[in-house]
Amino acid sequence: MRDVVVAGAGPSGSYLSYALSKKGYDVLNLEDHPEVGRPVECTGVVTERVFRFVRSKSIANRVSGAYVYFPDSEPMHIRKNEETIVIYRDSFDKDVSAMAVGAGTDLRVNSRLIGVKIHEDCAEVTYRENGQIRTEKSRIVIGADGANSVVRKDLYEERPKRIVSTYQVDSAVRMEDQDSVSVYLGSENSKGFFAWAVPTGNITRIGLGTLGSGAREYYRALEKHFPVDRVVGITGGPIPISYLKRTYGNRSLLIGDAAGIVKPLTGGGIYTGIVSARHAFRAVDEALENDSFTQEFLSRYQKYWKEDIGRELFIDGLIQKFFSKLSDRSLKAVYKVLSSPDIIGRINSIGDIDYPSKLVFSVLLKHPSILLNALV
Ligand SMILES: Cc1cc2nc3c(=O)[nH]c(=O)nc-3n(C[C@H](O)[C@H](O)[C@H](O)COP(=O)(O)OP(=O)(O)OC[C@H]3O[C@@H](n4cnc5c(N)ncnc54)[C@H](O)[C@@H]3O)c2cc1C
């Protein structure tokens, strides 16, 4: 019997497989696709923090600014000292997976998990590897199989409540300013989320997220800003922006997108997925050491990740809910306050895409009227 089966070789599953294998555990990592990292469903915007955990040089660009377009307003330009990094997501995922395989993980590509059962003495997974149905037993199973997790569907009753659907094209357009991303707000671009354009040299990643469905329809509004005949790739997919009430069960844990552990304001889940994997490592290690896999014992996983990023995700979730309800008129009122030099200075000095709540509180303390103005 294996120690651990990890379903999914995205950043979360590969990082956890790496950490467990490095400790000497017998880890089987199942990946549905024939190649790790493909197809790409991501814009690839991360902070330096990710590189504290992952050895990777797959960097497409570094940006330090953003143009934020509020409805019918001049773009607001913000600029930070620290750079935000735009990665090549396919090779980044391969790099994390290589760390896992290098540490001893048994990675099986072309291996789609199709079912999980929990028995008293083991977890049992069924998967299809190159067309052959196989089963494997392990002491614990981890769902790192993304937004449509099979582990979650089979073992957990809950689904993430807030899902953003996305549509993104790679366009052969070179943005003039390679040092700034563009963010488009308002009802023309999205329902309750935002659209973006991210420069990576001769290719620009242009996309949007919207609450519920209909991302492709909103894309038509974005096309106004860019030539339509230069599309060299299309991607998209769901992003769960709310985490589950319970991310652990008997002999199982959910990490990353499978658990909805994603930044609600931006839909970024690479960093939070790796953070959840780190805490899952600690809990799984303790469970294997103590030979204890009850739901009660494994609840420590949720305690660990919540102590670290739970407060931030909770607050960001509330802000996102508030933001998602603002009309264009309200957004314009918010713009009037935010575009003052004092606030732009504040954004430039304390804005942090991994931990945005600090900035939001700082702005609200200085301008509490923004809340009332937003509700006009
Ligand atoms: C358009 C778009 C843009 C995004 N942009 C950003 C961004 O700029 N920055 C950022 O931080 N995040 C971004 N995200 C979110 C980010 O992609 C995810 O949060 C992140 O990939 C989560 O990592 P994960 O390992 O938890 O899941 P995933 O990366 O989804 O990995 C899950 C893995 O499991 C595999 N799998 C699925 N089902 C099975 C199965 N049944 N059996 C075996 N394997 C299976 C999949 O093939 C995949 O390899 C974006 C998402 C989208 C859709």
Side-chain angles (χ1 to χ4, degrees):
M1 179 159 66
R2 302 275 187 170
D3 289 323
V4 189
V5 169
V6 177
S12 314
S14 294
Y15 189 81
L16 177 59
S17 301
Y18 156 72
L20 289 167
S21 299
K22 198 167 156 230
K23 185 87 197 274
Y25 294 117
D26 177 7
V27 181
L28 172 66
N29 185 197
L30 301 173
E31 169 53 45
D32 183 16
H33 290 100
E35 194 182 330
V36 169
R38 290 203 164 241
V40 172
E41 290 177 359
C42 191
T43 317
V45 177
V46 294
T47 63
E48 275 295 345
R49 285 187 189 97
V50 162
F51 294 90
R52 292 181 197 161
F53 309 113
V54 176
R55 290 187 297 272
S56 176
K57 292 204 167 94
S58 51
I59 294 174
N61 195 10
R62 292 172 184 270
V63 292
S64 55
Y67 296 96
V68 186
Y69 292 80
F70 284 77
D72 308 321
S73 310
E74 287 296 304
M76 190 176 109
H77 194 219
I78 50 184
R79 180 168 294 283
K80 301 198 43 55
N81 290 334
E82 309 86 57
E83 288 174 324
T84 298
I85 295 166
V86 188
I87 56 173
Y88 292 112
R89 182 59 203 274
D90 47 354
S91 48
F92 177 86
D93 281 21
K94 283 190 176 67
D95 285 337
V96 195
S97 185
M99 284 166 58
V101 173
T105 295
D106 180 5
L107 169 71
R108 304 277 176 90
V109 292
N110 248 331
S111 296
R112 178 171 178 70
L113 177 79
I114 49 180
V116 193
K117 283 189 189 133
I118 300 297
H119 305 293
E120 209 180 310
D121 60 342
C122 70
E124 184 179 353
V125 298
T126 306
Y127 62 102
R128 190 179 293 112
E129 183 178 20
N130 297 313
Q132 301 278 329
I133 301 289
R134 299 187 192 282
T135 59
E136 186 81 45
K137 289 183 175 160
S138 60
R139 297 167 75 194
I140 184 167
V141 62
I142 310 295
D145 45 350
N148 296 313
S149 169
V150 171
V151 178
R152 189 184 67 223
K153 280 179 191 151
D154 277 10
L155 303 181
Y156 295 75
E157 276 153 28
E158 203 190 344
R159 307 275 170 270
K161 289 191 179 61
R162 287 172 80 75
I163 310 260
V164 166
S165 67
T166 63
Y167 186 87
Q168 177 178 289
V169 304
D170 282 351
S171 179
V173 174
R174 189 178 173 86
M175 280 172 82
E176 203 180 318
D177 184 349
Q178 285 289 312
D179 189 33
S180 295
V181 300
S182 294
V183 175
Y184 305 90
L185 306 175
S187 62
E188 192 187 32
N189 300 299
S190 163
K191 181 168 161 262
F193 214 62
F194 61 92
W196 60 83
V198 174
T200 61
N202 291 334
I203 301 269
T204 302
R205 299 175 187 169
I206 306 162
L208 68 101
T210 187
L211 285 174
S213 56
R216 174 71 187 95
E217 284 68 45
Y218 278 109
Y219 185 74
R220 286 183 225 292
L222 257 189
E223 282 178 339
K224 279 197 312 208
H225 304 278
F226 303 94
V228 286
D229 57 346
R230 305 270 180 88
V231 174
V232 292
I234 298 179
T235 186
I239 312 180
I241 56 162
S242 59
Y243 54 80
L244 300 189
K245 283 204 182 84
R246 182 168 60 78
T247 54
Y248 55 91
N250 288 324
R251 290 192 185 275
S252 77
L253 300 181
L254 296 175
I255 64 173
D257 273 21
I261 302 177
V262 173
K263 293 178 278 180
L265 278 168
T266 59
I270 299 172
Y271 171 65
T272 47
I274 291 172
V275 169
S276 70
R278 289 180 62 231
H279 294 298
F281 163 70
R282 185 174 162 201
V284 172
D285 184 30
E286 288 165 358
L288 291 163
E289 289 268 330
N290 289 282
D291 200 24
S292 185
F293 301 96
T294 60
Q295 181 167 308
E296 195 191 7
F297 189 92
L298 290 168
S299 67
R300 62 186 60 201
Y301 159 61
Q302 184 151 311
K303 184 169 158 279
Y304 296 156
W305 75 254
K306 280 205 168 175
E307 274 167 6
D308 187 346
I309 52 169
R311 184 174 169 274
E312 183 67 40
L313 295 189
F314 178 73
I315 294 170
D316 297 351
L318 293 179
I319 300 168
Q320 203 286 324
K321 269 189 200 157
F322 178 78
F323 161 81
S324 70
K325 294 196 178 103
L326 296 187
S327 64
D328 287 356
R329 204 165 141 225
S330 304
L331 282 171
K332 277 194 248 175
V334 172
Y335 169 77
K336 276 199 186 121
V337 178
L338 292 188
S339 56
S340 72
D342 158 52
I343 297 288
I344 291 187
R346 215 168 268 255
I347 297 172
N348 291 348
S349 63
I350 57 174
D352 182 336
I353 60 167
D354 289 334
Y355 297 92
S357 66
K358 193 173 160 202
L359 171 67
V360 175
F361 282 132
S362 155
V363 171
L364 286 179
L365 272 177
K366 181 90 179 148
H367 292 281
S369 62
I370 204 170
L371 284 174
L372 290 175
N373 288 346
L375 294 172
V376 290

